[in-house]
Amino acid sequence: MSLLHQIALTFIPGVGAVNSRLLLKHFGSAEDVFKAKKPQLLAIPGIGEKTAQSILQHDFFKQAEKELTFIEKYKIQTFFYSSDEYPKRLRNCYDAPVLLYYKGNADLNNSRVVSIVGTRNATPYGKELTDSLVEELKKHNVLVVSGLAYGIDAMAHKACLKQDIKTVGVVGHGLDRIYPSQHRSLAEKMVRNGGLLTEFPSGTTPSRENFPMRNRIVAGMSDATIIVEASLTGGALITAELANSYNRDVFSFPGNIKQEFSAGCNYLIKTNRASLITSAKDLEYILGWVTENRQEEKKQLSLSLNLSSDEKKIVTILIEKNQAGIDELAIETQIPQSKLAITILGLEMQGILIALPGKVYKLA
């Protein structure tokens, strides 16, 4: 596919992430979108007269050519939503951007990805929690995502660099600048051990409306979002709400009920929008993460149990994958759905596996 056409698609006025994907689903490629006739465009829900006219005029190809020159000059990677490199977790979100700009060396499809976010006005308590959490996460080979903002975000990135954990900052502007500018040195280090990611082309300034858009990428590309400290207003609670809307796990550290920057965390916990955690061990338990030693213990335990052949198939897959959905288990085991459900229930009754939200299962 032509990268120029892919970039141009993102410059069409009135066509956001959702409509771009509708166009691509209908026509098959960015090039074919621009080859379409007006009646074909108007037949697509959400594409009105004004938008169709914009597509037909091709006024934004000069912008796309300028952006293509920029990314080639600075060796910036682009990930179209259909490419293998595109974050697969984010792709499943209905409003995921169709094109991402990336500078770095981290695998955005790492087996474990968590986002750590919080207030810009972090307290010593928040810094202590962040440092401790990141240190405990090191053994799990995680990719840590945040927003490169002041406070908890920057603390999380810095803690990752200290622990040699890859960390990606999602920014609300183009990659021709760093905001805040005080984080330029931090950003340079992250590019060498993680990366910077954005949906915004060069020349895009860090406008207020860009940050909620940035937050949806932070939430969407992660298995879980962790709120360290947060007030009742601000980006951290927006990120938590977005993660919930994507059916992702959200965790929050509790705080002093009289502290402003714990109020948001306590609210998330109180309203069941986040699970309470006090350390990375809580994440390990809820997400079903295990270390190599624990994995070996579970493997040995499963081998010693008196299981049927179908039960052994399921347990073997869960040992390998840590957790799996019922559709994945059906495909991998080739057990009919009706029989599979009964077999899973039997394993649950024996205390061998437990059910997670969304018909996902893991070993107990």
Side-chain angles (χ1 to χ4, degrees):
M1 283 194 249
S2 165
L3 178 56
L4 179 65
H5 286 83
Q6 292 172 354
I7 296 171
L9 183 63
T10 68
F11 282 119
I12 303 173
V15 176
V18 175
N19 281 338
S20 291
R21 292 178 69 168
L22 283 174
L23 286 165
L24 290 165
K25 183 178 181 181
H26 188 86
F27 294 109
S29 71
E31 298 101 307
D32 289 334
V33 170
F34 293 109
K35 291 177 183 176
K37 304 299 182 184
K38 190 173 183 179
Q40 294 174 293
L41 293 168
L42 292 174
I44 301 173
I47 305 300
E49 177 77 25
K50 187 176 180 180
T51 303
Q53 196 60 41
S54 293
I55 296 171
L56 294 168
Q57 287 177 348
H58 296 191
D59 289 344
F60 29 79
F61 269 92
K62 287 185 179 178
Q63 289 176 277
E65 289 170 355
K66 182 179 177 182
E67 189 62 22
L68 187 59
T69 300
F70 173 80
I71 64 176
E72 288 175 347
K73 179 178 179 180
Y74 292 100
K75 296 181 173 55
I76 291 168
Q77 301 175 67
T78 57
F79 301 145
F80 199 58
Y81 92 104
S82 58
S83 71
D84 291 339
E85 295 84 5
Y86 190 96
K88 60 184 179 182
R89 298 165 178 86
L90 181 62
R91 184 189 289 129
N92 292 329
C93 302
Y94 76 95
D95 58 350
V98 295
L99 185 67
L100 294 169
Y101 300 96
Y102 181 58
K103 185 80 172 176
N105 56 18
D107 178 6
L108 302 183
N109 286 309
N110 194 60
S111 60
R112 292 170 180 169
V113 184
V114 299
S115 57
I116 301 175
V117 297
T119 178
R120 293 169 183 255
N121 302 290
T123 69
Y125 169 75
K127 183 180 188 307
E128 181 183 347
L129 286 178
T130 303
D131 289 345
S132 177
L133 173 66
V134 169
E135 184 177 1
E136 292 173 354
L137 287 174
K138 182 172 183 177
K139 63 184 176 184
H140 292 293
N141 186 33
V142 298
L143 171 64
V144 174
V145 179
S146 196
L148 198 63
Y150 288 118
I152 296 298
D153 289 25
M155 289 175 179
H157 292 311
K158 289 175 182 177
C160 287
L161 293 173
K162 182 179 178 181
Q163 297 294 335
D164 196 26
I165 296 172
K166 289 192 181 297
T167 182
V168 169
V170 184
V171 296
H173 50 78
L175 293 181
D176 57 331
R177 68 196 69 208
I178 295 297
Y179 177 83
S181 58
Q182 291 89 334
H183 289 169
R184 179 169 298 279
S185 176
L186 172 61
E188 290 171 355
K189 293 174 184 175
M190 290 168 61
V191 168
R192 296 193 293 270
N193 193 35
L196 299 176
L197 182 72
T198 187
E199 67 179 301
F200 299 106
S202 61
T204 305
T205 58
S207 304
R208 180 182 293 272
E209 62 270 17
N210 292 354
F211 292 105
M213 297 175 69
R214 179 273 308 273
N215 293 346
R216 87 186 194 285
I217 298 177
V218 172
M221 65 184 289
S222 306
D223 299 309
T225 294
I226 304 161
I227 316 297
V228 178
E229 275 190 310
S231 65
L232 287 170
T233 58
L237 262 66
I238 293 172
T239 307
E241 196 65 30
L242 288 163
N244 274 312
S245 73
Y246 298 146
N247 198 29
R248 305 295 165 80
D249 288 296
V250 180
F251 302 97
S252 182
F253 285 96
N256 188 323
I257 61 172
K258 295 182 179 180
Q259 290 290 333
E260 176 186 356
F261 300 110
S262 290
C265 293
N266 293 338
Y267 170 78
L268 290 172
I269 296 167
K270 182 173 66 175
T271 56
N272 295 315
R273 287 175 166 85
S275 299
L276 185 153
I277 59 168
T278 58
S279 71
K281 289 183 179 179
D282 297 324
L283 289 179
E284 294 170 9
Y285 175 75
I286 298 172
L287 296 176
W289 292 356
V290 290
T291 61
E292 290 184 6
N293 289 339
R294 179 64 179 140
Q295 189 83 340
E296 186 61 29
E297 289 173 13
K298 286 189 174 185
K299 183 176 181 180
Q300 295 300 325
L301 175 61
S302 68
L303 293 174
S304 67
L305 295 172
N306 185 20
L307 302 177
S308 69
S309 59
D310 286 343
E311 288 173 334
K312 286 179 180 177
K313 288 179 184 178
I314 295 169
V315 169
T316 300
I317 290 169
L318 294 179
I319 288 171
E320 293 174 354
K321 298 179 177 290
N322 294 325
Q323 63 183 47
I326 192 165
D327 291 336
E328 186 177 5
L329 289 171
I331 293 169
E332 294 279 349
T333 63
Q334 292 296 299
I335 301 172
Q337 282 275 5
S338 57
K339 187 178 180 183
L340 178 62
I342 294 171
T343 308
I344 288 173
L345 179 60
L347 289 168
E348 282 189 81
M349 297 294 288
Q350 295 177 64
I352 294 171
L353 61 76
I354 58 175
L356 302 173
K359 294 188 177 179
V360 174
Y361 301 91
K362 68 173 184 176
L363 295 179

